[in-house]
Short mmCIF file of all heavy atoms in Angstrom, two decimals:
data_model
loop_
_atom_site.label_atom_id
_atom_site.label_comp_id
_atom_site.label_asym_id
_atom_site.label_seq_id
_atom_site.Cartn_x
_atom_site.Cartn_y
_atom_site.Cartn_z
N GLY A 252 129.12 38.16 -24.83
CA GLY A 252 129.07 38.10 -23.37
C GLY A 252 127.80 38.71 -22.82
O GLY A 252 127.84 39.81 -22.24
N HIS A 253 126.68 38.08 -23.02
CA HIS A 253 125.34 38.52 -22.48
C HIS A 253 124.98 39.92 -23.03
O HIS A 253 124.48 40.78 -22.25
CB HIS A 253 125.38 38.55 -20.96
CG HIS A 253 125.91 37.34 -20.32
ND1 HIS A 253 125.32 36.08 -20.48
CD2 HIS A 253 127.01 37.20 -19.51
CE1 HIS A 253 126.05 35.20 -19.79
NE2 HIS A 253 127.03 35.85 -19.22
N ARG A 254 125.15 40.12 -24.30
CA ARG A 254 124.87 41.49 -24.87
C ARG A 254 124.07 41.45 -26.19
O ARG A 254 124.09 42.36 -26.97
CB ARG A 254 126.16 42.21 -25.09
CG ARG A 254 126.90 42.64 -23.84
CD ARG A 254 128.24 43.24 -24.12
NE ARG A 254 128.99 43.44 -22.86
CZ ARG A 254 129.16 44.63 -22.32
NH1 ARG A 254 128.67 45.68 -22.86
NH2 ARG A 254 129.92 44.75 -21.25
N ARG A 255 123.33 40.34 -26.38
CA ARG A 255 122.56 40.21 -27.65
C ARG A 255 121.16 39.69 -27.41
O ARG A 255 120.94 38.80 -26.55
CB ARG A 255 123.27 39.30 -28.63
CG ARG A 255 124.50 39.90 -29.28
CD ARG A 255 124.93 39.07 -30.45
NE ARG A 255 126.15 39.56 -31.09
CZ ARG A 255 126.55 39.24 -32.27
NH1 ARG A 255 125.88 38.42 -33.03
NH2 ARG A 255 127.71 39.75 -32.79
N ILE A 256 120.22 40.19 -28.24
CA ILE A 256 118.83 39.66 -28.30
C ILE A 256 118.47 39.61 -29.77
O ILE A 256 118.74 40.55 -30.54
CB ILE A 256 117.83 40.59 -27.56
CG1 ILE A 256 118.30 40.82 -26.08
CG2 ILE A 256 116.44 39.99 -27.61
CD1 ILE A 256 117.41 41.81 -25.36
N HIS A 257 117.84 38.51 -30.16
CA HIS A 257 117.40 38.33 -31.55
C HIS A 257 115.87 38.30 -31.53
O HIS A 257 115.27 37.34 -31.00
CB HIS A 257 117.95 37.07 -32.17
CG HIS A 257 117.41 36.82 -33.54
ND1 HIS A 257 117.47 35.59 -34.13
CD2 HIS A 257 116.81 37.60 -34.45
CE1 HIS A 257 116.92 35.64 -35.34
NE2 HIS A 257 116.48 36.87 -35.61
N GLN A 258 115.19 39.29 -32.12
CA GLN A 258 113.79 39.23 -32.31
C GLN A 258 113.57 38.52 -33.67
O GLN A 258 113.85 39.04 -34.72
CB GLN A 258 113.16 40.61 -32.34
CG GLN A 258 111.65 40.67 -32.43
CD GLN A 258 111.10 42.06 -32.57
OE1 GLN A 258 111.01 42.53 -33.68
NE2 GLN A 258 110.81 42.72 -31.46
N TYR A 259 113.04 37.31 -33.61
CA TYR A 259 113.06 36.47 -34.79
C TYR A 259 111.62 36.29 -35.39
O TYR A 259 111.49 35.67 -36.49
CB TYR A 259 113.60 35.09 -34.46
CG TYR A 259 112.88 34.28 -33.43
CD1 TYR A 259 111.90 33.39 -33.82
CD2 TYR A 259 113.14 34.44 -32.05
CE1 TYR A 259 111.20 32.65 -32.82
CE2 TYR A 259 112.48 33.77 -31.10
CZ TYR A 259 111.51 32.82 -31.46
OH TYR A 259 110.83 32.14 -30.56
N ALA A 260 110.59 36.77 -34.77
CA ALA A 260 109.26 36.68 -35.34
C ALA A 260 108.39 37.85 -34.76
O ALA A 260 108.66 38.31 -33.65
CB ALA A 260 108.60 35.34 -34.96
N GLY A 261 107.43 38.29 -35.52
CA GLY A 261 106.60 39.44 -35.13
C GLY A 261 105.19 39.30 -35.50
O GLY A 261 104.81 38.62 -36.48
N ASN A 262 104.33 39.98 -34.71
CA ASN A 262 102.90 39.98 -35.00
C ASN A 262 102.30 38.58 -35.08
O ASN A 262 101.51 38.30 -36.01
CB ASN A 262 102.63 40.78 -36.26
CG ASN A 262 103.01 42.24 -36.17
OD1 ASN A 262 102.93 42.80 -35.12
ND2 ASN A 262 103.44 42.81 -37.28
N VAL A 263 102.64 37.77 -34.11
CA VAL A 263 102.10 36.44 -34.01
C VAL A 263 101.19 36.32 -32.84
O VAL A 263 101.47 36.92 -31.73
CB VAL A 263 103.21 35.35 -33.99
CG1 VAL A 263 103.97 35.33 -35.25
CG2 VAL A 263 104.13 35.63 -32.80
N ALA A 264 100.09 35.56 -32.95
CA ALA A 264 99.14 35.40 -31.87
C ALA A 264 99.47 34.17 -31.10
O ALA A 264 99.69 33.07 -31.68
CB ALA A 264 97.72 35.38 -32.42
N GLU A 265 99.45 34.27 -29.76
CA GLU A 265 99.64 33.10 -28.88
C GLU A 265 98.69 33.16 -27.71
O GLU A 265 98.31 34.28 -27.24
CB GLU A 265 101.11 33.06 -28.34
CG GLU A 265 102.14 32.71 -29.36
CD GLU A 265 103.48 32.41 -28.70
OE1 GLU A 265 103.51 31.90 -27.54
OE2 GLU A 265 104.52 32.67 -29.34
N THR A 266 98.25 32.01 -27.28
CA THR A 266 97.35 31.88 -26.11
C THR A 266 97.98 31.01 -25.11
O THR A 266 98.38 29.87 -25.39
CB THR A 266 95.97 31.31 -26.56
OG1 THR A 266 95.39 32.16 -27.58
CG2 THR A 266 95.00 31.27 -25.36
N HIS A 267 98.02 31.49 -23.86
CA HIS A 267 98.53 30.70 -22.73
C HIS A 267 97.67 30.98 -21.51
O HIS A 267 97.32 32.13 -21.22
CB HIS A 267 99.96 31.04 -22.42
CG HIS A 267 100.92 30.82 -23.57
ND1 HIS A 267 101.36 29.59 -23.91
CD2 HIS A 267 101.48 31.67 -24.47
CE1 HIS A 267 102.17 29.68 -24.97
NE2 HIS A 267 102.27 30.91 -25.35
N GLY A 268 97.26 29.91 -20.84
CA GLY A 268 96.40 30.06 -19.76
C GLY A 268 95.08 30.71 -20.02
O GLY A 268 94.46 31.42 -19.19
N GLY A 269 94.67 30.57 -21.28
CA GLY A 269 93.32 31.14 -21.70
C GLY A 269 93.44 32.58 -22.03
O GLY A 269 92.40 33.25 -22.34
N ARG A 270 94.63 33.20 -22.08
CA ARG A 270 94.81 34.63 -22.40
C ARG A 270 95.59 34.78 -23.71
O ARG A 270 96.70 34.21 -23.85
CB ARG A 270 95.58 35.33 -21.30
CG ARG A 270 94.97 35.24 -19.90
CD ARG A 270 93.97 36.28 -19.70
NE ARG A 270 93.32 36.20 -18.37
CZ ARG A 270 92.95 37.22 -17.58
NH1 ARG A 270 93.19 38.39 -18.07
NH2 ARG A 270 92.43 37.05 -16.47
N LYS A 271 94.99 35.48 -24.68
CA LYS A 271 95.57 35.66 -26.03
C LYS A 271 96.25 36.99 -26.16
O LYS A 271 95.65 38.03 -25.82
CB LYS A 271 94.51 35.48 -27.06
CG LYS A 271 94.95 35.55 -28.51
CD LYS A 271 93.84 35.32 -29.49
CE LYS A 271 94.30 35.35 -30.91
NZ LYS A 271 93.21 35.16 -31.87
N LEU A 272 97.42 36.97 -26.73
CA LEU A 272 98.13 38.22 -27.01
C LEU A 272 98.75 38.11 -28.42
O LEU A 272 99.10 37.06 -28.90
CB LEU A 272 99.31 38.43 -26.03
CG LEU A 272 98.99 38.69 -24.57
CD1 LEU A 272 100.26 38.76 -23.73
CD2 LEU A 272 98.22 40.04 -24.45
N THR A 273 98.93 39.30 -29.05
CA THR A 273 99.74 39.38 -30.28
C THR A 273 101.07 39.86 -29.92
O THR A 273 101.18 41.03 -29.36
CB THR A 273 99.03 40.32 -31.32
OG1 THR A 273 97.73 39.74 -31.64
CG2 THR A 273 99.84 40.43 -32.62
N ILE A 274 102.09 39.15 -30.24
CA ILE A 274 103.44 39.44 -29.73
C ILE A 274 104.50 39.35 -30.84
O ILE A 274 104.28 38.90 -31.90
CB ILE A 274 103.82 38.44 -28.61
CG1 ILE A 274 103.91 37.04 -29.19
CG2 ILE A 274 102.81 38.46 -27.45
CD1 ILE A 274 104.56 35.98 -28.28
N ASP A 275 105.71 39.87 -30.42
CA ASP A 275 106.93 39.61 -31.13
C ASP A 275 107.74 38.64 -30.25
O ASP A 275 107.76 38.75 -29.04
CB ASP A 275 107.72 40.90 -31.36
CG ASP A 275 107.00 41.92 -32.19
OD1 ASP A 275 106.07 41.52 -32.96
OD2 ASP A 275 107.25 43.11 -32.03
N ARG A 276 108.40 37.71 -30.92
CA ARG A 276 109.18 36.72 -30.19
C ARG A 276 110.68 36.98 -30.22
O ARG A 276 111.20 37.37 -31.27
CB ARG A 276 108.94 35.32 -30.79
CG ARG A 276 107.52 34.79 -30.70
CD ARG A 276 107.38 33.58 -31.57
NE ARG A 276 106.02 33.00 -31.50
CZ ARG A 276 105.53 32.21 -32.38
NH1 ARG A 276 106.22 31.91 -33.51
NH2 ARG A 276 104.30 31.73 -32.25
N SER A 277 111.39 36.79 -29.12
CA SER A 277 112.86 37.00 -29.09
C SER A 277 113.55 35.88 -28.34
O SER A 277 112.97 35.29 -27.43
CB SER A 277 113.17 38.34 -28.42
OG SER A 277 112.72 39.44 -29.20
N ARG A 278 114.80 35.71 -28.74
CA ARG A 278 115.74 34.86 -27.94
C ARG A 278 116.78 35.80 -27.35
O ARG A 278 117.41 36.56 -28.10
CB ARG A 278 116.41 33.86 -28.88
CG ARG A 278 117.43 32.91 -28.14
CD ARG A 278 116.74 31.94 -27.25
NE ARG A 278 117.70 30.96 -26.71
CZ ARG A 278 118.42 31.15 -25.56
NH1 ARG A 278 118.29 32.29 -24.91
NH2 ARG A 278 119.22 30.20 -25.16
N ALA A 279 116.94 35.72 -26.05
CA ALA A 279 117.82 36.73 -25.35
C ALA A 279 118.95 36.09 -24.58
O ALA A 279 118.82 34.97 -24.02
CB ALA A 279 116.95 37.53 -24.40
N ASP A 280 120.07 36.81 -24.58
CA ASP A 280 121.16 36.54 -23.67
C ASP A 280 121.72 37.91 -23.35
O ASP A 280 122.66 38.35 -23.98
CB ASP A 280 122.19 35.60 -24.29
CG ASP A 280 123.39 35.33 -23.30
OD1 ASP A 280 123.17 35.60 -22.10
OD2 ASP A 280 124.43 34.91 -23.78
N ALA A 281 121.08 38.56 -22.38
CA ALA A 281 121.32 40.04 -22.21
C ALA A 281 120.91 40.49 -20.82
O ALA A 281 120.23 39.77 -20.11
CB ALA A 281 120.54 40.78 -23.29
N PRO A 282 121.32 41.71 -20.50
CA PRO A 282 120.90 42.27 -19.22
C PRO A 282 119.43 42.56 -19.20
O PRO A 282 118.80 42.88 -20.22
CB PRO A 282 121.70 43.56 -19.10
CG PRO A 282 122.80 43.47 -20.12
CD PRO A 282 122.25 42.60 -21.22
N VAL A 283 118.80 42.48 -18.04
CA VAL A 283 117.41 42.81 -17.81
C VAL A 283 117.38 43.83 -16.63
O VAL A 283 118.38 44.02 -15.95
CB VAL A 283 116.55 41.59 -17.54
CG1 VAL A 283 116.40 40.73 -18.73
CG2 VAL A 283 117.16 40.79 -16.37
N ALA A 284 116.20 44.39 -16.42
CA ALA A 284 116.08 45.45 -15.40
C ALA A 284 116.31 44.89 -14.00
O ALA A 284 115.93 43.80 -13.66
CB ALA A 284 114.68 46.04 -15.49
N ARG A 285 117.04 45.72 -13.21
CA ARG A 285 117.21 45.40 -11.78
C ARG A 285 116.03 46.07 -11.07
O ARG A 285 115.89 47.28 -10.99
CB ARG A 285 118.52 45.99 -11.27
CG ARG A 285 119.75 45.38 -11.87
CD ARG A 285 121.02 46.01 -11.37
NE ARG A 285 121.32 45.61 -10.01
CZ ARG A 285 121.44 46.44 -9.01
NH1 ARG A 285 121.24 47.71 -9.18
NH2 ARG A 285 121.76 45.99 -7.77
N ILE A 286 115.12 45.27 -10.58
CA ILE A 286 113.85 45.73 -10.01
C ILE A 286 114.01 45.92 -8.51
O ILE A 286 114.45 45.04 -7.79
CB ILE A 286 112.69 44.75 -10.29
CG1 ILE A 286 112.65 44.43 -11.80
CG2 ILE A 286 111.40 45.32 -9.80
CD1 ILE A 286 112.39 45.62 -12.69
#
Side-chain angles (χ1 to χ4, degrees):
H253 312 299
R254 290 172 187 255
R255 286 194 183 196
I256 305 174
H257 176 199
Q258 187 185 86
Y259 62 93
N262 296 328
V263 293
E265 288 192 31
T266 302
H267 299 284
R270 304 274 179 143
K271 183 178 181 180
L272 293 174
T273 299
I274 65 167
D275 299 336
R276 298 168 176 160
S277 292
R278 178 71 173 88
D280 181 16
V283 290
R285 295 177 74 240
I286 309 300

